[in-house]
Amino acid sequence: MKMNSRAQRLESENSTIEAMVRRAHPALRRAMKLIRRPEARVAVAPSPIGKLLVAEGPRGLVTVHFLAVRDPERTLEMLRQRFDLVENQPSTAELRRCIERYFAGDLRVLSHPVDLSLVASDFQRRALTRLRAVPAGAVITYHALAAAVGEPDAQRAIGNTMASNPIPIFVPCHRVIKSDGTIGNYGGGVDRKIVLLRNEGFVVKRDLKLPERSVLGHSKTRIFCRPECFAAKRAAQFNQLIFADAAHARRAGLRPCKLCRPEAESV
């Protein structure tokens, strides 16, 4: 009898433990998801401006690194702090095809999802997110981008943000220029910036200035003008973009100004 009673007690205790484990399992599973880090697939992609180290996580592209410019170790260390890295060329095949298509002229591929989790501050994330709204075939000045994110005096901070942008090309810091019309610096080097701008329709001269046929577009009125137009000078700068020419402005959905008739001198 004593043995049977002991066996029954053990069986009851085991049943209680199993029931507790079953009840705790959903909470354990949620906790494990928090502990387990997401994976980032890493690969090297060839391009006309040199080899690119690319990494893509569950939410999108995490980094694009110019291998010819600087050693990737710091970038890899930043990735390791947030992701488990997996070297997997097949899984990044679509991303590498996007890069090929971009340099072949298909600019729509830059809408590929990105993940700004490597970006340090809220200001930088706001600036880079706003930058993605600048269409291909257009550029914005450092001053205008600063004003667009509500910090008109933060031009230097915008410059630092562009220099530390972890996802160049897809977060197009090459589309940010100086207020005097020169193209300014670039983390990947000025020569690469020229290639990227030319790929998007800008005829950049050797003096690094944008062409005379460039037009000013206003994102609120949806009108584009010649740079010297009175209406363009009166417009709020944070709503202004500079387009390569009238055709690119029209492609972005803007219509020509009736006062300065920009297409007459921009085609």
Side-chain angles (χ1 to χ4, degrees):
M1 288 293 291
K2 288 184 177 180
M3 289 296 295
N4 288 339
S5 176
R6 185 179 179 184
Q8 288 173 353
R9 194 163 58 248
L10 288 172
E11 184 177 347
S12 176
E13 289 175 357
N14 289 337
S15 298
T16 302
I17 292 170
E18 288 178 5
M20 291 173 62
V21 170
R22 282 196 299 271
R23 286 196 299 271
H25 189 70
L28 286 170
R29 189 165 59 245
R30 288 193 296 270
M32 288 302 294
K33 282 185 177 180
L34 293 174
I35 294 171
R36 189 183 304 121
R37 300 193 310 170
E39 288 186 350
R41 301 180 301 279
V42 180
V44 174
S47 83
I49 55 176
K51 291 182 178 180
L52 307 171
L53 173 70
V54 296
E56 186 163 27
R59 296 188 298 171
L61 183 60
V62 179
T63 192
V64 174
H65 179 95
F66 296 110
L67 287 172
V69 176
R70 56 184 177 269
D71 188 90
E73 191 52 45
R74 183 172 181 274
T75 297
L76 290 171
E77 183 56 35
M78 291 173 61
L79 288 168
R80 291 189 192 103
Q81 291 175 10
R82 294 181 178 270
F83 300 94
D84 289 328
L85 304 188
V86 179
E87 187 176 355
N88 193 325
Q89 292 280 350
S91 67
T92 56
E94 180 185 353
L95 178 56
R96 286 182 284 122
R97 280 195 296 271
C98 282
I99 293 170
E100 291 175 5
R101 287 164 55 194
Y102 168 74
F103 284 104
D106 184 358
L107 307 182
R108 298 169 300 174
V109 299
L110 296 193
S111 62
H112 189 88
V114 301
D115 176 359
L116 295 174
S117 61
L118 296 186
V119 178
S121 72
D122 176 67
F123 171 82
Q124 291 176 327
R125 281 188 291 274
R126 285 189 289 121
L128 294 174
T129 299
R130 176 63 182 83
L131 178 58
R132 291 203 90 198
V134 177
V139 294
I140 189 170
T141 66
Y142 292 96
H143 186 198
L145 183 55
V149 294
E151 302 284 351
D153 296 325
Q155 296 181 59
R156 184 182 296 274
I158 289 292
N160 292 336
T161 299
M162 298 305 107
S164 61
N165 173 22
I167 319 175
I169 303 175
F170 288 83
V171 178
C173 50
H174 60 276
R175 294 181 194 160
V176 185
I177 67 165
K178 297 173 72 173
S179 296
D180 64 3
T182 56
I183 67 172
N185 295 322
Y186 187 58
V190 172
D191 288 342
R192 287 182 177 82
K193 188 170 189 175
I194 291 173
V195 171
L196 294 170
L197 288 172
R198 285 177 175 170
N199 190 60
E200 297 180 1
F202 281 94
V203 183
V204 181
K205 300 177 181 178
R206 292 315 305 172
D207 61 5
L208 305 184
K209 288 189 175 182
L210 297 179
E212 294 177 0
R213 63 180 182 175
S214 297
V215 296
L216 289 181
H218 195 275
S219 60
K220 190 172 183 179
T221 64
R222 309 301 294 170
I223 292 173
F224 67 92
C225 305
R226 289 187 287 128
E228 62 270 24
C229 178
F230 174 75
K233 291 180 179 180
R234 191 175 57 180
Q237 190 177 34
F238 62 84
N239 287 321
Q240 284 186 353
L241 297 175
I242 304 169
F243 287 87
D245 51 36
H248 282 84
R250 277 192 174 277
R251 203 171 299 156
L254 279 67
R255 64 186 187 278
C257 173
K258 293 181 180 179
L259 296 176
C260 66
R261 297 188 300 163
E263 290 180 306
E265 296 185 18
S266 301
V267 295

